[in-house]
Amino acid sequence: MSTPMSSEHGLGSLPGHFHGFALMHIAMRRDARRLLAAAPLLTRAGLGPAGAWWQQLRDIIDWHHRSEDDVLWPGLLSRAPQFAAEARLLGEDHAVLDRAMEAVSAVLRPGGDPAAVEQAATRFDSVLRDHLKDEEAVSFPVFARLSPEEYLAVERKVIASAPLKVMTALQPWMFDGADKRSVAQVAATIPPPVRVIGNTVLRRRYERTLTGVTRPS
């Protein structure tokens, strides 16, 4: 039996045209682990910085699955109509993930209880991993059947739907710790001026926010 395509197994087995999408899933799992690692160390003083980092992550995930429901899945359905039933199920999964993220937001608010963060972070990690596994099992075979040109035409519309607060964090977030060959491949699709800003000003801003969970207080 062949191994299902999954970003959990690395990017080597995945067609290059959807490495950017896969890198986002890898980044989400990475940050779920970061939150889990930071949770036992957080104090009341650390809730604010951790909450600022979390809000940035939540904004990205909110956009990611909203853009799937509104742009990506409809775009794929025009090329793979048999995807309709699976697309509806994935949309329902997003509602479960929304509830898990709202629970994390609640415990990371200023004045919250640091002792409650670990439980909410554990639930978020579990729901996220299950959702991404299900989503990749359904969507990656569809992506693989498309030509790079067909897939990237839809992906460009997805990226164009990102609000400014997501767009300014997306590149450094997605490339943080990622496989260098995949980063180079995905970066080649980004306009050079945007790529330069993402690697300098926006990366430094992203790294400052990241300290809320990499150096929790």
Side-chain angles (χ1 to χ4, degrees), residues 16-73:
H17 59 275
F18 56 90
H19 278 197
F21 186 92
L23 283 176
M24 287 193 237
H25 282 192
I26 289 170
M28 290 177 200
R29 294 189 194 96
R30 175 204 66 212
D31 281 353
R33 291 193 300 271
R34 279 176 169 160
L35 181 59
L36 277 172
L41 306 175
L42 283 171
T43 65
R44 287 190 185 278
L47 292 177
W53 167 84
W54 166 254
Q55 187 59 55
Q56 178 177 266
L57 174 62
R58 185 173 180 182
D59 287 342
I60 292 172
I61 297 176
D62 280 339
W63 160 75
H64 178 76
H65 67 219
R66 190 166 54 249
S67 70
E68 288 174 339
D69 294 340
D70 296 344
V71 183
L72 183 58
W73 303 154

Side-chain angles (χ1 to χ4, degrees), residues 185-203:
Q185 183 167 332
V186 174
T189 68
I190 301 172
V194 177
R195 192 162 65 236
V196 170
I197 293 171
N199 284 333
T200 54
V201 177
L202 298 182
R203 181 173 56 80

Side-chain angles (χ1 to χ4, degrees), residues 60 108 121 147 165:
I60 292 172
L108 287 178
S147 71
K165 63 184 177 182

Side-chain angles (χ1 to χ4, degrees), residues 99-187:
R99 291 193 290 272
M101 291 195 295
E102 181 53 38
V104 175
S105 295
V107 297
L108 287 178
R109 291 191 179 105
D113 179 8
V117 176
E118 190 165 4
Q119 182 177 353
T122 300
R123 172 65 176 162
F124 167 66
D125 177 70
S126 175
V127 169
L128 177 73
R129 287 180 177 279
D130 287 347
H131 170 64
L132 296 183
K133 182 178 180 179
D134 292 345
E135 182 172 283
E136 292 183 355
V138 170
S139 62
F140 280 8
V142 178
F143 295 172
R145 290 199 297 271
L146 301 178
S147 71
E149 293 74 21
E150 287 176 315
Y151 175 80
L152 291 172
V154 179
E155 186 178 81
R156 281 191 287 271
K157 294 178 182 178
V158 170
I159 298 299
S161 74
L164 183 60
K165 63 184 177 182
V166 169
M167 191 65 79
T168 54
L170 190 60
Q171 181 180 323
W173 170 80
M174 185 169 58
F175 291 168
D176 179 8
D179 173 77
K180 288 184 171 55
R181 285 176 296 180
S182 295
V183 167
Q185 183 167 332
V186 174

